[in-house]
Amino acid sequence: MQTAQTYRDHGHGPAVDRVTLTYDERFLRRKVLTTDSGAQVLVDLAQTTSMDHGGRLITDGGEIEVIAAPEPLIKITGDLTRLAWHIGNRHTPCQMGADHLLIQTNHVMEDMLGKLGATVAPITAPFTPEGGAYGHGRTHGHAH
């Protein structure tokens, strides 16, 4: 089994394999993952890391590309500025498009957004929300 002790947010050449993970699965420090080809790799990073779509786990055998897996999401349309404010005020990860927002399936948020006049619809797609404002990706709490 190969070990990846380094993660980079971009590649330095072709990847030798890929690992397809949901948004929640892409937040880790130490875990055995199965690549798309069926190989196992031990991820053993120095700290918990938010891995982005297209990022790379670095092993002695080469780079393994991280792919965002399709997952159940809510597509939101309406007054996007106002809706994005309410989503952000609840510290909910949000992916922004030109004419829509995406969040993970959450019935409480879906109900709230509907009451705010949003149109909400379930979809399945890769989830790649905006990272932290200071380049730290996901965080817990406000102690950045």
Side-chain angles (χ1 to χ4, degrees):
M1 178 183 320
Q2 294 185 58
T3 300
Q5 294 182 313
T6 304
Y7 168 79
R8 290 190 197 124
D9 60 1
H10 59 280
H12 292 286
V16 297
D17 207 339
R18 298 170 12 153
V19 62
T20 303
L21 304 168
T22 65
Y23 176 71
D24 290 335
E25 293 169 338
R26 295 192 317 267
F27 191 59
L28 60 100
R29 191 196 80 70
R30 183 177 167 86
K31 185 175 184 177
V32 174
L33 300 176
T34 301
T35 67
D36 292 359
S37 72
Q40 290 194 317
V41 59
L42 170 62
V43 177
D44 187 15
L45 304 173
Q47 61 189 23
T48 303
T49 301
S50 178
M51 299 187 296
D52 295 324
H53 175 78
R56 300 291 178 95
L57 292 165
I58 311 303
T59 72
D60 289 340
E63 299 181 10
I64 299 172
E65 184 175 20
V66 176
I67 302 297
E71 57 186 291
L73 302 172
I74 300 170
K75 182 177 180 178
I76 303 154
T77 56
D79 181 353
L80 297 185
T81 303
R82 180 171 178 250
L83 298 169
W85 184 90
H86 282 281
I87 291 167
N89 192 45
R90 284 150 186 87
H91 299 272
T92 300
C94 182
Q95 180 175 332
M96 294 178 274
D99 62 352
H100 67 278
L101 304 171
L102 296 176
I103 63 171
Q104 291 175 304
T105 299
N106 178 318
H107 297 293
V108 172
M109 291 293 291
E110 189 172 351
D111 182 59
M112 178 201 71
L113 292 164
K115 289 176 180 173
L116 292 169
T119 301
V120 295
I123 67 163
T124 300
F127 188 49
T128 57
E130 292 292 314
Y134 300 100
H136 298 295
R138 296 181 230 190
T139 59
H140 293 289
H142 292 277
H144 343 189

